[in-house]
Amino acid sequence: MALTVGGLKAQPGAADQPDNFILLGDEYYEMGIYHRSLESYSSALSTWMVDHDYREMGNCFINIGKVYLKLGLHDLSLQNFEQAAIIFQEHGLSGKLAETYNYIGLSYDGKSDYDAGMQYYNDVLDLPADSVSQEVRATTYSNIAGIFLHSGDTRMSKEFINRAMGIYDRIDDSIGIARLQIMLGELDRQAGDYESALQKYVIARDLYFALDHNKGIAETLLLQAETLMALQQIEEALQLTNHAMSLGQEHNYLEIIKDSYLLLSDLYSMLDDIHQSHAFYLQYSALKDTVYSEKLSNAIAETETRRAFLHYDINIDQLEDERRSERNTRWFVIIF
């Protein structure tokens, strides 16, 4: 059965239509159907490899890496992002290289290797100014803020949030601003200031609402509900969680539905309603098994097998060894 995405009807098996596979992959990614997303991106990659379209091949590696990053499979995400970086570097695509370095940095951040992550963010900022868009520069500052947040340096995290916010304000990027508001909310929650965190989440929710960004709205509602739960405001938290659940069900966002089930289980446990809590936990567990299924493992194996057919003179392991030998922590280079 064909799936219609953005007005295009993409036919599975239509190997001569890689753009359709990308559209399908994006749609599956948003819904949290990750094995289908990987299959679609991998099919597109196979076609671009035959056509020797290196820019699109690099884009496919980024898309595949983003799925692994979402799943927390950071070694696999790094392999794909590094492959993209090699392609973009060899073919002089500096703008795409900057985007890829940001994703590599996020992978290292996920592995708690903050020095390595910071190295790649430095590499973005070291690229010629005219090759890095304002949006990518703001994203880099935001990612640096994330490293400081995760490493416990609140002051420096806020410093780089402010740098990113200034750019997002200038280029009128509401999604970027919303994400920064969520990060500020996370900082407030770490400090135990839940009321302030709620204010930040409301700002982010309203920005997403103005953009009709339903997934962003649902994610922010869950953050509000978690914060209200910490304040023992259970009824209000239940209302927001149910609202997020309804959005997830309406748009088939499996991750939203899964997270809502888990939060509902915790909320009913706090109400001493063990029957309801257990029922929601069973639904959470079943959906988690659906998202992270054997089909996903098979899709990963197939995707990485296809990736292995692409050979470059540059050895990725050797490249990383060279980077490690140079990697004296350069955090202060970007601070001052």
Side-chain angles (χ1 to χ4, degrees):
M1 179 178 179
L3 176 66
T4 300
V5 182
L8 273 177
K9 185 172 287 186
Q11 298 286 348
D16 59 336
Q17 298 177 14
D19 287 338
N20 283 0
F21 283 120
I22 296 299
L23 289 171
L24 284 168
D26 291 347
E27 185 79 358
Y28 285 132
Y29 179 85
E30 282 298 300
M31 291 189 293
I33 308 175
Y34 297 120
H35 71 282
R36 292 294 189 193
S37 184
L38 282 174
E39 288 169 355
S40 299
Y41 291 143
S42 183
S43 295
L45 176 61
S46 295
T47 303
W48 295 127
M49 287 169 63
V50 171
D51 293 344
H52 300 289
D53 189 324
Y54 294 105
R55 183 185 184 91
E56 294 302 335
M57 285 163 56
N59 287 334
C60 284
F61 283 125
I62 287 179
N63 286 329
I64 291 168
K66 285 167 61 178
V67 176
Y68 293 146
L69 185 62
K70 180 70 174 179
L71 294 169
L73 302 173
H74 298 115
D75 288 333
L76 285 175
S77 71
L78 278 170
Q79 289 176 23
N80 283 274
F81 291 144
E82 287 169 340
Q83 187 72 74
I86 290 171
I87 291 173
F88 294 141
Q89 191 170 40
E90 287 192 346
H91 295 275
L93 299 168
S94 298
K96 297 299 299 184
L97 185 61
E99 177 186 346
T100 310
Y101 282 167
N102 267 309
Y103 282 121
I104 293 175
L106 287 173
S107 294
Y108 278 116
D109 189 359
K111 290 165 65 74
S112 299
D113 189 344
Y114 303 129
D115 286 357
M118 195 67 78
Q119 173 71 42
Y120 278 94
Y121 298 145
N122 267 298
D123 288 345
V124 175
L125 300 177
D126 285 345
L127 290 170
D130 59 357
S131 69
V132 179
S133 70
Q134 287 297 295
E135 181 180 3
V136 170
R137 187 169 294 275
T139 298
T140 307
Y141 286 149
S142 178
N143 291 341
I144 292 169
I147 278 191
F148 282 119
L149 185 154
H150 300 147
S151 62
D153 191 332
T154 299
R155 183 182 68 83
M156 290 308 304
S157 183
K158 288 182 177 179
E159 165 67 23
F160 280 92
I161 287 174
N162 288 335
R163 293 191 190 188
M165 189 75 78
I167 297 176
Y168 284 137
D169 279 335
R170 287 199 301 274
I171 65 177
D172 196 25
D173 187 332
S174 294
I175 289 180
I177 295 171
R179 289 171 179 163
L180 290 177
Q181 290 294 338
I182 289 172
M183 192 178 293
L184 287 168
E186 187 174 348
L187 284 168
D188 287 336
R189 284 173 65 178
Q190 285 185 0
D193 191 347
Y194 298 113
E195 295 292 349
S196 181
L198 283 171
Q199 293 174 13
K200 306 296 194 310
Y201 296 148
V202 168
I203 293 171
R205 183 201 64 196
D206 290 347
L207 286 167
Y208 284 131
F209 185 80
L211 296 167
D212 199 25
H213 193 305
N214 290 301
K215 192 171 187 181
I217 294 169
E219 289 171 343
T220 312
L221 287 170
L222 289 176
L223 289 171
Q224 288 179 263
E226 290 172 359
T227 309
L228 287 167
M229 183 172 67
L231 291 169
Q232 301 293 313
Q233 298 178 30
I234 307 304
E235 293 300 328
E236 294 91 334
L238 281 171
Q239 291 178 9
L240 293 175
T241 306
N242 284 321
H243 187 183
M245 170 75 79
S246 67
L247 285 172
Q249 292 172 334
E250 180 182 353
H251 299 283
N252 198 29
Y253 298 142
L254 298 188
E255 290 280 2
I256 296 294
I257 300 170
K258 175 177 66 67
D259 292 345
S260 297
Y261 281 145
L262 183 59
L263 187 52
L264 286 169
S265 176
D266 291 341
L267 287 166
Y268 278 105
S269 177
M270 294 181 71
L271 291 172
D272 293 326
D273 189 336
I274 303 304
H275 177 74
Q276 278 281 64
S277 176
H278 183 62
F280 279 119
Y281 187 81
L282 289 177
Q283 289 176 288
Y284 158 76
S285 183
L287 189 51
K288 182 179 179 182
D289 289 343
T290 299
V291 173
Y292 303 99
S293 63
E294 183 180 348
K295 291 180 180 179
L296 176 60
S297 298
N298 292 337
I300 291 172
E302 175 68 19
T303 298
E304 292 309 297
T305 298
R306 294 192 189 195
R307 189 184 71 83
F309 281 109
L310 184 63
H311 298 292
Y312 269 84
D313 293 335
I314 298 176
N315 181 282
I316 289 178
D317 292 332
Q318 180 181 349
L319 181 70
E320 181 56 23
D321 288 341
E322 291 173 359
R323 295 188 70 86
R324 282 200 189 93
S325 68
E326 303 172 340
R327 191 178 291 143
N328 298 319
T329 307
R330 300 166 55 204
W331 293 33
F332 294 101
V333 174
I334 59 174
I335 295 171
F336 298 107

